[in-house]
């Protein structure tokens, strides 16, 4: 299974942000299908009894068509969200996108409409500094 180009960048950014990587990849078997979501992570909050758990699908958006990349990302996101709801409902799924794609493609009206329609949870990562610059839930 090939990892996304920026897999390690996102992993380091999550660790810098206080997340503990618990699964790399996060494996689920639901309805006779094997799912491999890029990362599973957990953040323990001192003020809460239960920690936050997330699953992360990482996308690079480096192909010539951002729309084609978006189609793939959206399809995976929807499938993974359904699988998580069955197999690990405490975990929230995030789509990780690079800052360059967020500042260009994701600012256009159509992607914003899709994000709102499907209630995508995304976070934006800075490739160069390996940090998370925006959580959009």
């Amino acid at each position: 299974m090939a990892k996304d180009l920026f897999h390690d960048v996102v992993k380091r950014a999550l660790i810098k942000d206080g997340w503990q990587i618990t699964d790399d990849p996060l494996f689920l078997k639901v309805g006779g299908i094997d799912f491999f979501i890029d990362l599973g992570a957990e953040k323990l909050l001192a003020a809460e009894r239960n920690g936050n758990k997330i699953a992360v699908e990482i996308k690079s958006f480096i192909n010539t068509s951002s729309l084609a990349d978006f189609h793939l990302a959206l399809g995976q996101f929807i499938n993974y969200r359904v699988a998580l709801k069955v197999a690990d409902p405490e975990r929230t799924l995030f789509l990780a996108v690079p800052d360059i794609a967020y500042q260009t493609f994701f600012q256009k009206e159509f992607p914003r409409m899709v994000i709102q329609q499907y209630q995508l949870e995304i976070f934006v990562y800075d490739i160069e500094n390996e940090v998370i610059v925006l959580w959009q839930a």
Side-chain angles (χ1 to χ4, degrees):
M1 176 177 50
K3 289 184 178 179
D4 190 272
L5 178 64
F6 299 126
H7 181 95
D8 291 335
V9 169
V10 172
K11 188 175 176 179
R12 286 190 287 272
L14 283 167
I15 291 169
K16 283 182 183 177
D17 199 48
W19 292 88
Q20 179 182 5
I21 305 301
T22 57
D23 303 90
D24 183 8
L26 174 63
F27 172 75
L28 304 172
K29 186 172 185 96
V30 177
I33 303 293
D34 294 340
F35 295 93
F36 296 91
I37 302 173
D38 289 324
L39 292 173
E42 187 169 346
K43 190 170 196 176
L44 299 175
L45 300 176
E48 294 184 13
R49 184 171 177 186
N50 298 320
N52 291 335
K53 292 182 177 180
I54 62 173
V56 180
E57 180 57 24
I58 302 164
K59 289 297 169 208
S60 299
F61 285 88
I62 57 172
N63 293 313
T64 55
S65 172
S66 293
L67 185 58
D69 286 344
F70 191 57
H71 288 318
L72 178 61
L74 181 62
Q76 285 181 309
F77 190 93
I78 290 170
N79 288 338
Y80 293 167
R81 185 161 56 192
V82 169
L84 279 170
K85 189 173 183 178
V86 171
D88 197 350
E90 293 179 359
R91 206 176 285 273
T92 303
L93 179 63
F94 279 86
L95 178 64
V97 298
D99 53 351
I100 293 172
Y102 185 78
Q103 293 165 6
T104 55
F105 179 76
F106 281 84
Q107 295 308 308
K108 295 179 180 177
E109 186 176 355
F110 182 75
R112 291 176 33 202
M113 290 167 39
V114 171
I115 289 168
Q116 183 177 11
Q117 175 74 27
Y118 289 97
Q119 300 176 345
L120 303 183
E121 315 250 8
I122 66 172
F123 71 75
V124 180
Y125 59 93
D126 176 332
I127 300 166
E128 187 173 322
N129 296 308
E130 299 184 340
V131 294
I132 298 168
V133 294
L134 176 70
W135 290 90
Q136 184 176 327

